[in-house]
Amino acid sequence: MTALEKRSISGLSLIFALRMLGLFMILPVFSVAADQYSGSTPLLVGLAIGAYGLTQAMLQIPFGMLSDRIGRKKVIAFGLLLFAMGSVIAAMADSIFTVILGRLLQGSGAIAAAVMALTADLTRDDHRTKAMAGIGISIGLSFTVALASGAALEHWLGLAGIFWLTALLAMLGIAVLYFWVPNPQRCIVHRDVEPMPKQFRKVLGNIELMRLALSISTLHFLLTLSFFALPMALHHYAGVERSQHALLYLPIMLIAFVCMVPFILLAEKQRKMKMVFLGAIVALGIAQLSWAILPSTAFVILTGLWLFFTAFNVLEASLPSMMSKISPLDCKGTAMGVYSTGQFLGAFLGGALGGLIYSYLNIHAVFAFGAIVTLFWWWLVKPMQAPRHLNSRILHIEPLNQANAPRIMAEINAIPGVIETMVVIDEGVAYVKFSPDDTDTDALDAFSVQST
């Protein structure tokens, strides 16, 4: 990778990380500290936790499309400003309704699709996977830091201080965008990372893709559902002071991250993706069930938390890979857009339903509902086909026109191991999906350099 590409990826990863920190730092503390706001009820507290997901789900695809028209940086900067405004509103709030408004505004700064598109603009196609992996790692690390630091920051700064800090992080993200991230030389629609409106019907009608979209939605549903109840379980049932929660979350998160690695290797290297996928869902269900039926001691809660986050990390890392493997080439970006929308919608529903259930029952009922949802999820995805181990590549072909496109596509499809080819004349490229174990990649690469 060139120095410019490395600079682009580091800057955009940092922007993503700063925003994720702002969204998730309140997760481990909000439900036990929200009684400071007037009008607080369990339902409204749950809505405040998950509210960002609703506006994020509604706007992330439109914002991505808008970035094609007016420019990536303008949309990203506007989204970060919305996020900062939402943080300020929440920081100044004395009513739970104002906090909800702030969280909705935070979520309306839906920059994920625009950041991915800018990443594609600033990196060469053969380094696209590395770039997206770098952003994915930054998201995972920021999530870990957010959970570990949120409890400590609430003890030192209070909830208002956390929201002020998130506003500052958003402004820092704007500075990184304009002073560190390079300006792109091109701004085109990338079918592999951006949604195409004409493909939505095809994606929504693909049962395998929708199973995975439902999976990421359920995963983040369980996340916000659990973190509505877990801080209260630790504080009110296990007797752990709020100031001590951070000391418990950090080692659990680190151990879970280490425990995740063998399962990812088993899924990718040993081609056991479906087995690992279903096993992780079972682990999530066991964690929820343990919280629901066992005594709420610190040992039980933290053991379940380790199991939960090990499985959560496995699924968070493997689901995008599965989505990429089974998505048809002509709608890969659209499929990922639907996937992301499902993720944020699940986060909203988890917080809202967690609060609703707790309003009428108790914490154990919240976890029991999570276990039931997990069982239904496992049943729904069990019939899915195991995804084949496939890679994708983008070949730049010059000249490419109406006359030679059919011949080039036929020649690429004739290479053993090639599964699917899509030639896009306007972009001058061929998108190819192939089996890395059966394909001569040199034969593929030859199409990028040969005179056609």
Side-chain angles (χ1 to χ4, degrees):
M1 298 177 70
T2 66
L4 192 67
E5 287 174 320
K6 292 177 181 178
R7 180 174 169 179
S8 302
I9 294 169
S10 64
L12 292 169
S13 296
L14 180 58
I15 290 170
F16 240 124
L18 292 172
R19 188 171 179 278
M20 297 301 288
L21 277 172
L23 284 173
F24 289 124
M25 277 194 294
I26 73 159
L27 267 188
V29 292
F30 191 79
S31 60
V32 291
D35 56 0
Q36 64 187 268
Y37 298 112
S38 64
S40 285
T41 66
L43 174 59
L44 294 176
V45 170
L47 284 172
I49 289 173
Y52 78 92
L54 179 61
T55 44
Q56 185 97 344
M58 293 170 58
L59 295 174
Q60 61 108 13
I61 289 179
F63 271 30
M65 294 178 175
L66 182 63
S67 75
D68 292 331
R69 296 191 174 192
I70 68 172
R72 316 292 189 204
K73 285 194 172 184
K74 290 179 181 178
V75 169
I76 295 170
F78 179 65
L80 289 171
L81 281 173
L82 288 175
F83 182 80
M85 290 170 57
S87 300
V88 170
I89 289 173
M92 298 176 66
D94 55 13
S95 161
I96 191 67
F97 295 101
T98 308
V99 176
I100 293 171
L101 175 62
R103 290 287 279 175
L104 287 169
L105 197 55
Q106 279 186 325
S108 70
I111 62 171
V115 170
M116 291 299 187
L118 182 56
T119 304
D121 289 337
L122 291 169
T123 55
R124 289 168 292 168
D125 299 325
D126 50 343
H127 293 296
R128 186 81 46 80
T129 301
K130 297 177 189 175
M132 298 305 173
I135 290 177
I137 291 171
S138 75
I139 293 172
L141 290 176
S142 65
F143 183 74
T144 299
V145 172
L147 290 184
S149 63
L153 288 170
E154 192 275 330
H155 177 65
W156 296 330
L157 305 175
L159 285 177
I162 292 178
F163 285 123
W164 282 117
L165 179 59
T166 61
L168 181 62
L169 292 177
M171 300 310 294
L172 178 59
I174 294 176
V176 171
L177 178 67
Y178 282 105
F179 293 106
W180 183 254
V181 177
N183 291 316
Q185 298 300 313
R186 56 175 184 167
C187 182
I188 63 174
V189 176
H190 304 273
R191 292 170 181 261
D192 55 331
V193 298
E194 294 185 71
M196 305 288 292
K198 295 180 180 179
Q199 300 295 342
F200 280 116
R201 180 175 295 181
K202 182 176 181 179
V203 169
L204 295 174
N206 186 315
I207 189 170
E208 296 297 312
L209 292 178
M210 295 313 297
R211 279 192 175 114
L212 295 181
L214 177 68
S215 293
I216 193 62
S217 181
T218 308
L219 183 63
H220 282 258
F221 172 91
L222 293 173
L223 177 69
T224 51
L225 179 89
S226 299
F227 272 91
F228 169 82
L230 278 172
M232 290 189 289
L234 272 175
H235 184 59
H236 298 305
Y237 288 81
V240 180
E241 291 297 322
R242 280 158 38 188
S243 61
Q244 301 300 309
H245 286 197
L247 299 177
L248 300 177
Y249 285 133
L250 182 58
I252 292 296
M253 295 291 290
L254 292 176
I255 294 170
F257 184 82
V258 172
C259 292
M260 165 198 74
V261 175
F263 295 103
I264 295 298
L265 294 176
L266 179 65
E268 293 287 351
K269 301 297 183 182
Q270 302 299 320
R271 312 293 196 259
K272 302 293 185 181
M273 181 138 327
K274 183 179 177 180
M275 182 185 76
V276 171
F277 175 49
L278 292 176
I281 297 175
V282 171
L284 289 174
I286 293 173
Q288 296 287 328
L289 197 61
S290 71
W291 293 328
I293 65 176
L294 296 179
S296 296
T297 64
F299 177 78
V300 168
I301 294 171
L302 294 177
T303 301
L305 190 62
W306 162 74
L307 189 61
F308 179 90
F309 272 114
T310 299
F312 180 90
N313 289 337
V314 167
L315 291 169
E316 188 79 357
S318 61
L319 279 170
S321 175
M322 295 173 68
M323 199 77 174
S324 177
K325 286 176 171 59
I326 70 172
S327 296
L329 285 173
D330 62 341
C331 56
K332 181 179 176 182
T334 307
M336 294 308 297
V338 171
Y339 171 92
S340 296
T341 299
Q343 171 183 330
F344 298 124
L345 189 58
F348 165 69
L349 291 174
L353 288 178
L356 180 64
I357 293 168
Y358 186 68
S359 296
Y360 293 98
L361 298 171
N362 55 37
I363 283 179
H364 298 287
V366 174
F367 294 130
F369 182 71
I372 293 170
V373 169
T374 307
L375 177 63
F376 177 73
W377 175 17
W378 182 88
W379 173 80
L380 195 65
V381 299
K382 188 177 183 294
M384 72 178 290
Q385 298 178 358
R388 297 180 62 183
H389 186 72
L390 302 176
N391 288 352
S392 298
R393 186 162 295 187
I394 301 174
L395 307 177
H396 289 267
I397 302 171
E398 295 181 1
L400 183 62
N401 50 53
Q402 293 285 354
N404 63 12
R407 173 178 61 81
I408 291 171
M409 186 164 66
E411 291 177 357
I412 295 174
N413 282 331
I415 298 174
V418 171
I419 305 300
E420 183 184 3
T421 303
M422 179 180 67
V423 173
V424 183
I425 296 172
D426 293 342
E427 298 177 25
V429 300
Y431 295 83
V432 183
K433 184 175 287 189
F434 61 96
S435 169
D437 299 328
D438 305 316
T439 304
D440 179 0
T441 55
D442 290 337
L444 278 180
D445 293 337
F447 281 89
S448 288
V449 298
Q450 72 177 13
S451 175
T452 57

